[in-house]
């Protein structure tokens, strides 16, 4: 499921925010749903590395063309990395993958394309990369993509793991597949090797403490740390990273909180990659007060430093075959509305050897998933799924969204097996009424205002900090999910506050914080753009067959 942030509005007068910036760039949000709340280490985030570019170029230079044969061995017994892909493993165990098994050696690095799996709307390439002749800790390829017979480029996602034997096992996946047989090119560009750099930051955390540390090396210009109290027992740590050139830099910095030589646990989920300007992004984590305020606690900056590059395009040619997969795929027509509120009309269920996909039409553009949890009930089995959002294969004008459910080898669906679609934890985005809230006596001391918003109690807390007006909002109502953004009116134009707090949709966090830079005066009239309401216990279901 994608993760929603309250990173909404630039300080302009446009009617709506830039929706591209409303989503956190949390890596593989949908494809790593089972691990969405775990902290990502730099090694894990670097697992975008081994799909292989440089080496695919060698295959092109050599004119190698590979035609796959069935792959019957499972990914698990071959030691391949397929995190969160039980459906792919299941298909391979049934002989529905293409065995490629072709290697290329370049400057002591061996890349092996092992297997291709093509499903109804996705293609996955499994590979291993042997870099044991080099001392570098991390490896990255700048781009990987497929090119079909018509010359269309199909980018995708990649993930890999550093195996105990020193090799790297990974996969490249794109939301595209051939109709049946098709000759394609797999291209990977710019292989890069990195080392890990660690540096201690002499940060002294207390409420509102903001410290900036210049780095000015390895593509990283600076890192800024800020802490704030969250309730009585917890404290928020926000880190802002600014690059010398742009955020396309691959250094992937993060700050780790360490005490007594051990990384300290985060409360809830890390929120990583929130855009904070053309050259900056922010991470946000919550810790116990006693951890951040302990004099023995250290703040350690960790990032990747590039050590060597192979600046070539590697091109690998192969023929993808989906014939066997299509023979084992069926579609069930649904054409039923899910409920009267969400605007979702379930269209069809696709059952393939690797996954189950429910396609649904919407009667409007969805700003946020209507529910948090989704699952299929298949006989006695409950299969958890994710909301993918706009279906990758649909036209730009289509309001077609997809829900994906991975199918492992133990799943059996017979003609008489009942199937139903379920959704739970309703999320509602509400256009706020055109009412204003007057904040009086603005100064350095925190002031509070109790107010009502469509029947929900709201607590405003506001104060001046370093020449800026800070406006916080919260609610004790369990259904209230928070104000997305506030604004002021100046000569009829909306001046939006800069969001200073990000939260994950459905996490029960109603706290919000906006900053109005360069504010002068003792009063401010605040308006609300949108707010969210959650109904955790609301559940709907629909019988498919």
């Amino acid at each position: 499921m994608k993760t929603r942030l309250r990173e909404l509005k630039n300080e302009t007068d446009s009617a709506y925010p830039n929706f591209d910036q409303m989503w956190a760039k949390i890596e593989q949000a949908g494809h790593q749903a089972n691990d969405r709340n775990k902290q990502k280490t730099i090694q894990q985030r670097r697992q975008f590395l081994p799909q292989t570019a440089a080496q695919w170029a060698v295959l092109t230079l050599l004119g190698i063309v590979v035609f796959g044969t069935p792959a019957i061995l499972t990914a698990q017994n071959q030691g391949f990395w397929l995190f969160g892909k039980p459906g792919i493993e299941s298909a391979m165990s049934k002989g529905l993958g293409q065995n490629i098994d072709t290697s290329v050696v370049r400057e002591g690095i061996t890349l092996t394309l092992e297997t291709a799996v093509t499903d109804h709307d996705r293609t996955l390439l499994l590979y291993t990369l042997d870099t044991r002749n080099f001392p570098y800790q991390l490896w990255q390829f700048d781009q990987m993509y497929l090119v079909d017979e018509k010359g269309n480029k199909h980018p995708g996602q990649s993930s890999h793991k550093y195996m105990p034997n020193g090799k790297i096992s990974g996969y490249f996946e794109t939301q595209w597949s051939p109709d049946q047989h098709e000759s394609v090119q797999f291209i990977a560009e710019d292989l890069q090797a990195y080392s890990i750099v660690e540096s201690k930051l002499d940060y002294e955390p207390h409420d509102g403490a903001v410290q900036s540390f210049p780095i000015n090396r390895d593509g990283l210009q600076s890192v800024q740390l800020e802490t704030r109290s969250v309730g009585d027992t917890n404290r928020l740590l926000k880190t802002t990273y600014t690059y010398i050139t742009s955020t396309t830099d691959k250094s992937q910095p993060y700050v780790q909180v360490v005490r007594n030589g051990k990384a300290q646990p985060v409360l809830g989920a890390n929120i990583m990659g929130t855009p904070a300007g053309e050259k900056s992004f922010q991470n946000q984590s919550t810790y116990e007060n006693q951890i951040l305020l302990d004099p023995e606690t250290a703040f350690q900056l960790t990032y990747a430093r590039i050590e060597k590059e192979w600046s070539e395009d590697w091109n690998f040619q192969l023929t993808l075959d989906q014939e066997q997969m299509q023979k084992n795929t069926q579609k069930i027509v649904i054409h039923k509305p899910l409920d009267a509120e969400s605007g979702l009309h379930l269209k069809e269920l696709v059952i393939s050897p690797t996954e189950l996909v429910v396609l649904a039409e919407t009667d409007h553009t969805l700003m946020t998933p209507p529910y948090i949890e989704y699952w299929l009930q298949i006989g006695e089995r409950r299969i958890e799924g994710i909301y993918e959002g706009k279906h990758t294969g649909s036209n730009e004008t289509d309001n077609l969204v997809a829900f994906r459910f991975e199918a492992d080898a133990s799943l059996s669906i017979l003609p008489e097996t009942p199937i139903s679609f379920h959704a739970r934890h309703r999320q509602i985005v509400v256009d706020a009424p055109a009412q204003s809230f007057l904040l009086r006596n603005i100064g350095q001391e925190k002031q509070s205002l109790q107010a009502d918003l469509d029947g929900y109690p709201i607590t405003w807390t506001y104060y001046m900090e370093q020449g800026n007006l800070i406006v916080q909002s919260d609610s004790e109502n369990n259904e209230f999910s928070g104000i997305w953004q506030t604004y002021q009116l100046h000569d009829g134009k909306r001046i939006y506050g800069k969001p200073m707090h990000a939260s994950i949709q459905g996490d029960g966090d109603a706290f919000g914080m906006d900053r109005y830079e360069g504010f002068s005066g003792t009063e401010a009239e605040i308006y609300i753009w949108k707010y969210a309401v959650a109904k955790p216990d609301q559940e709907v279901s629909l019988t498919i067959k």
Side-chain angles (χ1 to χ4, degrees):
M1 182 182 300
K2 289 184 176 178
T3 304
R4 183 64 171 201
L5 298 188
R6 301 186 190 119
E7 178 74 25
L8 306 181
K9 188 72 168 163
N10 296 323
E11 296 179 3
T12 65
D13 187 41
S14 58
Y16 296 97
N18 181 340
F19 292 124
D20 290 338
Q21 295 186 2
M22 293 171 68
W23 300 94
K25 295 184 293 184
I26 297 178
E27 68 184 38
Q28 301 185 12
H31 297 274
Q32 295 185 352
N34 295 330
D35 199 35
R36 66 171 64 92
N37 288 333
K38 294 183 180 179
Q39 180 176 4
K40 303 292 187 296
T41 66
I42 194 167
Q43 290 90 340
Q44 288 171 318
R45 290 202 309 271
R46 283 291 94 208
Q47 287 165 6
F48 275 48
L49 317 183
Q51 271 63 41
T52 325
Q55 282 127 4
W56 298 130
V58 170
L59 297 177
T60 303
L61 294 174
L62 296 177
I64 296 176
V65 179
V66 177
F67 295 86
T69 57
I72 302 178
L73 297 177
T74 66
Q76 184 177 15
N77 63 31
Q78 291 297 294
F80 296 147
W81 169 251
L82 275 174
F83 174 76
K85 303 291 181 183
I88 297 293
E89 288 197 48
S90 175
M92 290 176 61
S93 69
K94 299 172 183 175
L96 295 175
Q98 295 176 244
N99 185 30
I100 306 299
D101 192 21
T102 300
S103 299
V104 170
V105 179
R106 181 179 178 84
E107 295 188 31
I109 298 174
T110 302
L111 175 71
T112 303
L113 183 60
E114 307 282 359
T115 304
V117 179
T118 55
D119 206 344
H120 64 106
D121 68 351
R122 66 172 172 172
T123 297
L124 184 141
L125 302 177
L126 198 61
Y127 67 85
T128 56
L129 183 65
D130 189 346
T131 62
R132 290 177 293 180
N133 291 330
F134 293 85
Y136 310 121
Q137 297 162 286
L138 305 173
W139 296 82
Q140 172 77 33
F141 289 87
D142 190 54
Q143 290 190 65
M144 295 182 181
Y145 52 91
L146 286 173
V147 179
D148 62 26
E149 289 181 343
K150 297 179 181 179
N152 297 316
K153 181 178 176 180
H154 302 283
Q157 296 176 321
S158 59
S159 181
H160 73 250
K161 181 178 182 179
Y162 297 86
M163 308 301 284
N165 62 7
K167 294 183 179 181
I168 300 171
S169 175
Y171 62 83
F172 165 83
E173 182 181 27
T174 180
Q175 298 297 311
W176 171 86
S177 64
D179 291 335
Q180 198 168 70
H181 304 277
E182 187 163 342
S183 296
V184 301
Q185 290 180 307
F186 176 72
I187 299 175
E189 302 174 351
D190 298 335
L191 172 63
Q192 300 160 347
Y194 296 81
S195 60
I196 298 175
V197 179
E198 296 178 340
S199 177
K200 182 179 178 181
L201 303 175
D202 294 325
Y203 178 58
E204 299 179 3
H206 55 82
D207 248 7
V210 179
Q211 286 180 249
S212 184
F213 300 88
I215 307 299
N216 295 320
R217 64 178 183 272
D218 303 325
L220 190 61
Q221 179 175 310
S222 64
V223 57
Q224 178 180 287
L225 278 69
E226 178 180 359
T227 54
R228 294 184 182 276
S229 296
V230 179
D232 297 329
T233 60
N234 301 329
R235 192 167 292 264
L236 177 72
L237 173 65
K238 181 183 296 182
T239 53
T240 303
Y241 307 89
T242 300
Y243 288 100
I244 295 174
T245 55
S246 71
T247 52
T248 58
D249 186 279
K250 301 298 193 301
S251 58
Q252 300 266 351
Y254 73 104
V255 170
Q256 192 170 36
V257 177
V258 180
R259 187 170 65 166
N260 299 325
K262 296 182 179 179
Q264 297 303 294
V266 175
L267 300 177
N270 277 337
I271 299 178
M272 306 177 72
T274 306
E278 182 182 356
K279 299 181 181 180
S280 302
F281 75 92
Q282 292 178 344
N283 293 344
Q284 181 177 297
S285 305
T286 303
Y287 297 87
E288 294 180 356
N289 272 335
Q290 61 182 9
I291 291 177
L292 288 191
L293 298 179
D294 188 338
E296 299 300 317
T297 295
F299 299 84
Q300 180 175 285
L301 171 66
T302 303
Y303 65 89
R305 171 193 289 157
I306 190 166
E307 300 287 355
K308 186 176 176 61
E309 293 185 77
W310 289 261
S311 299
E312 297 185 46
D313 294 350
W314 289 4
N315 187 314
F316 188 79
Q317 297 183 342
L318 67 155
T319 296
L320 296 176
D321 185 352
Q322 198 192 160
E323 183 176 359
Q324 289 301 315
M325 194 73 75
Q326 287 182 344
K327 290 180 179 179
N328 290 273
T329 297
Q330 62 172 310
K331 296 182 179 181
I332 299 177
V333 176
I334 305 174
H335 280 312
K336 297 178 182 178
L338 177 61
D339 55 23
E341 299 179 5
S342 66
L344 286 175
H345 188 96
L346 303 194
K347 185 177 180 181
E348 68 177 8
L349 168 65
V350 180
I351 304 175
S352 82
T354 74
E355 64 179 351
L356 298 94
V357 178
V358 173
L359 298 178
E361 294 176 329
T362 67
D363 59 11
H364 59 281
T365 300
L366 295 175
M367 294 185 64
T368 185
Y371 293 89
I372 299 296
E373 303 172 37
Y374 301 92
W375 70 93
L376 290 177
Q377 192 68 40
I378 303 176
E380 299 298 320
R381 288 283 302 275
R382 171 171 167 155
I383 308 297
E384 303 286 346
I386 61 170
Y387 171 81
E388 181 186 61
K390 183 177 175 62
H391 183 47
T392 309
S394 64
N395 297 322
E396 291 298 324
T397 56
D398 291 344
N399 280 332
L400 191 66
V401 297
F403 303 86
R404 293 186 182 272
F405 308 82
E406 285 281 337
D408 61 30
S410 65
L411 181 63
S412 176
I413 302 177
L414 302 175
E416 65 272 16
T417 303
I419 302 176
S420 57
F421 179 90
H422 298 255
R424 184 178 176 274
H425 196 153
R426 181 81 167 99
Q427 290 287 298
I428 305 169
V429 179
V430 182
D431 290 320
Q435 72 177 103
S436 63
F437 303 86
L438 183 60
L439 310 183
R440 302 176 184 272
N441 301 320
I442 296 173
Q444 299 296 322
E445 185 177 346
K446 290 185 178 181
Q447 304 285 338
S448 294
L449 173 66
Q450 303 298 322
D452 178 273
L453 175 62
D454 286 345
Y456 296 102
I458 303 297
T459 299
W460 296 99
T461 302
Y462 53 95
Y463 54 95
M464 291 295 296
E465 181 181 272
Q466 299 178 351
N468 304 315
L469 172 61
I470 304 298
V471 179
Q472 300 177 356
S473 58
D474 209 343
S475 177
E476 295 181 354
N477 188 292
N478 292 331
E479 288 191 353
F480 192 80
S481 292
I483 293 170
W484 275 19
Q485 201 163 18
T486 64
Y487 64 91
Q488 298 180 54
L489 287 177
H490 288 182
D491 297 326
K493 293 184 178 181
R494 292 185 179 187
I495 306 299
Y496 285 85
K498 181 179 180 181
M500 300 300 293
H501 178 82
S503 62
I504 294 179
Q505 180 188 17
D507 65 356
D509 181 11
F511 181 79
M513 181 188 298
D514 289 348
R515 181 176 70 196
Y516 292 87
E517 298 181 351
F519 178 85
S520 61
T522 59
E523 292 188 353
E525 198 169 13
I526 298 297
Y527 296 82
I528 298 171
W529 176 53
K530 292 179 185 291
Y531 68 91
V533 175
K535 298 183 180 295
D537 297 326
Q538 183 171 332
E539 181 178 325
V540 295
S541 63
L542 188 149
T543 299
I544 296 177
K545 83 176 190 71

